[in-house]
């Protein structure tokens, strides 16, 4: 139990509902920022505005998966109000206060550096990323079916990157009968792709390996699907970019050439928010218990 632990959940999507449910069960005191349009009421949780929040009492701040925007705004689907996290707010928190988000950016990193607060990026954890790859893959399959006029079985699929998501995507599309090529750089990844029974290629050779691609799936979070690559794709190719915003695709050039390109960085929260939220809630409850124990030891 996390009795009397003070936690602020600032913004987020439907995944946060599972986090709220789990933390109220653990007897925490929750302040919900950006949830005024949420009809459901949770015992032990109060809806507040960010300028009313007592930051000096917080043991933890839970941000959305994306953290903040590059200028500090926090997205939420349960509010029309603009919510912005600034350095002065975090500076008011106790030194033991821990900030949680899925990923980070330069703005959030700057706040963490200046305030010297602990920051946990949940998606940097192998367990979260691997669990999360399951709804990501299901959502990718959904998009591939919705936006093509061919079956996945027998199609030519090119996957870029063999990280935790890339591996799951490549394996699943292979099991569905697609002919899968995977681009990577590390020799160990090239070897793993071969061991999986897929066709490997080095990303330096990307422009030479996409001419027969029906579906291109990118998992690499920097510009990799350049105009040179898109120029080599068949016009009917569907690009599904799973990398975090702004993705790894030149969407402007894709549109100019008539190649359909979709940015889909938050598929778990779209296709399976309950499952994705439960994954986050379970991990957060474990991490918050560590914060709670450290606070008790230092009191």
């Amino acid at each position: 139990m996390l009795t009397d632990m003070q936690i602020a959940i600032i913004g987020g999507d439907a995944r946060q509902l599972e986090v709220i449910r789990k933390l109220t069960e653990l007897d925490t005191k929750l302040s919900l920022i950006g949830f005024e349009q949420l009809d459901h009421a949770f015992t032990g949780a109060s809806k507040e505005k960010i300028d009313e929040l007592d930051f000096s009492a917080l043991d933890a701040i839970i941000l959305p998966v994306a953290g903040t925007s590059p200028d500090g705004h926090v997205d939420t689907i349960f509010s029309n109000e603009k919510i912005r996290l600034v350095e002065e707010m975090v500076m008011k928190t106790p030194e033991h206060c821990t900030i949680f988000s899925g990923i980070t950016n330069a703005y959030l990193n700057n706040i963490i550096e200046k305030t010297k607060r602990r920051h946990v990026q949940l998606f940097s954890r192998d367990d979260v990323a691997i669990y999360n790859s399951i709804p990501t893959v299901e959502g990718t399959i959904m998009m591939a079916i919705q936006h093509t006029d061919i079956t996945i079985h027998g199609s030519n699929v090119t996957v870029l990157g063999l990280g935790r998501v890339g591996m799951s995507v490549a394996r699943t599309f292979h099991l569905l009968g697609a002919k899968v090529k995977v681009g990577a750089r590390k020799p160990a990844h090239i070897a793993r792709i071969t061991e999986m029974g897929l066709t490997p290629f080095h990303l330096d050779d990307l422009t030479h390996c996409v001419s027969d691609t029906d579906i291109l799936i990118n998992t690499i979070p920097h510009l990799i699907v350049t105009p040179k690559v898109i120029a080599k794709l068949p016009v009917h190719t569907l690009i599904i970019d799973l990398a975090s915003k702004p993705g790894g695709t030149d969407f402007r050039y894709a549109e100019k050439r008539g190649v359909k390109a979709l940015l889909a960085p938050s598929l778990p929260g779209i296709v399976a928010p309950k499952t994705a939220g439960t994954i986050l809630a379970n991990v957060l409850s474990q991490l918050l218990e560590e914060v709670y124990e450290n606070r008790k030891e230092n009191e």
Side-chain angles (χ1 to χ4, degrees):
M1 301 296 285
L2 303 175
T3 302
D4 293 333
M5 192 174 190
Q6 300 268 1
I7 301 171
I9 298 181
I10 304 178
D13 54 29
R15 285 174 284 191
Q16 305 299 77
L17 301 185
E18 297 306 313
V19 175
I20 295 169
R21 185 173 289 109
K22 179 75 171 181
L23 296 185
T24 53
E25 290 174 359
L26 292 173
D27 201 27
T28 61
K29 291 183 178 179
L30 290 181
S31 295
L32 308 181
I33 313 300
F35 289 86
E36 67 268 11
Q37 294 179 359
L38 179 65
D39 293 332
H40 190 88
F42 293 92
T43 303
S46 60
K47 300 174 185 177
E48 300 179 36
K49 296 185 181 298
I50 196 163
D51 56 1
E52 300 171 346
L53 181 61
D54 182 6
F55 282 90
S56 67
L58 294 180
D59 297 302
I61 296 172
I62 300 175
L63 296 172
V65 167
T68 70
S69 69
D71 63 355
H73 283 92
V74 180
D75 287 335
T76 177
I77 65 171
F78 300 105
S79 174
N80 292 324
E81 292 189 13
K82 289 186 176 181
I83 300 170
R84 188 166 184 259
L85 185 73
V86 298
E87 177 188 335
E88 291 74 18
M89 296 172 179
V90 180
M91 191 66 79
K92 293 177 183 177
T93 63
E95 290 185 4
H96 71 268
C97 181
T98 302
I99 299 172
F100 297 91
S101 64
I103 57 177
T104 190
N105 57 27
Y107 179 90
L108 188 54
N109 285 342
N110 184 55
I111 288 180
I112 298 302
E113 183 179 351
K114 289 185 175 180
T115 60
K116 294 180 170 55
R117 297 300 184 265
R118 183 183 176 218
H119 180 210
V120 177
Q121 297 177 54
L122 296 172
F123 279 17
S124 67
R125 292 174 55 102
D126 283 338
D127 54 355
V128 174
I130 292 170
Y131 284 132
N132 228 35
S133 71
I134 299 169
T136 298
V137 171
E138 291 190 12
T140 306
I141 293 168
M142 176 190 74
M143 295 181 74
I145 292 171
Q146 287 178 338
H147 295 280
T148 62
D149 57 4
I150 59 174
T151 59
I152 292 174
H153 188 281
S155 64
N156 293 312
V157 175
T158 301
V159 178
L160 305 183
L162 196 76
R164 294 158 299 196
V165 172
M167 182 177 290
S168 296
V169 168
R171 180 190 297 116
T172 305
F173 274 78
H174 173 63
L175 292 172
L176 289 172
K179 291 170 278 189
V180 180
K181 292 187 288 189
V182 185
R185 295 192 188 280
K186 296 179 181 178
H189 286 178
I190 297 293
R192 178 61 67 191
I193 294 162
T194 303
E195 183 273 332
M196 292 170 66
L198 311 178
T199 302
F201 67 89
H202 196 282
L203 284 170
D204 288 346
D205 300 322
L206 179 56
T207 55
H208 306 296
C209 298
V210 296
S211 60
D212 62 346
T213 300
D214 297 311
I215 303 170
L216 176 64
I217 303 170
N218 176 54
T219 68
I220 300 172
H222 60 79
L223 185 60
I224 185 84
V225 188
T226 62
K228 286 185 178 180
V229 174
I230 296 169
K232 296 291 185 179
L233 292 170
V235 177
H236 73 266
T237 301
L238 171 67
I239 300 173
I240 303 176
D241 199 320
L242 303 177
S244 55
K245 290 181 181 180
T249 300
D250 190 320
F251 291 96
R252 181 201 63 81
Y253 185 77
E255 182 179 6
K256 181 178 180 180
R257 187 162 179 265
V259 173
K260 183 177 287 187
L262 306 172
L263 179 61
S266 300
L267 277 179
I270 296 170
V271 301
K274 186 176 180 65
T275 298
T278 299
I279 293 168
L280 294 176
N282 289 339
V283 174
L284 275 168
S285 62
Q286 296 171 15
L287 295 173
L288 287 167
E289 188 171 342
E290 296 174 11
V291 176
Y292 186 70
E293 292 300 326
N294 289 336
R295 189 195 76 178
K296 289 295 186 183
E297 289 176 5
N298 294 325
E299 284 180 350

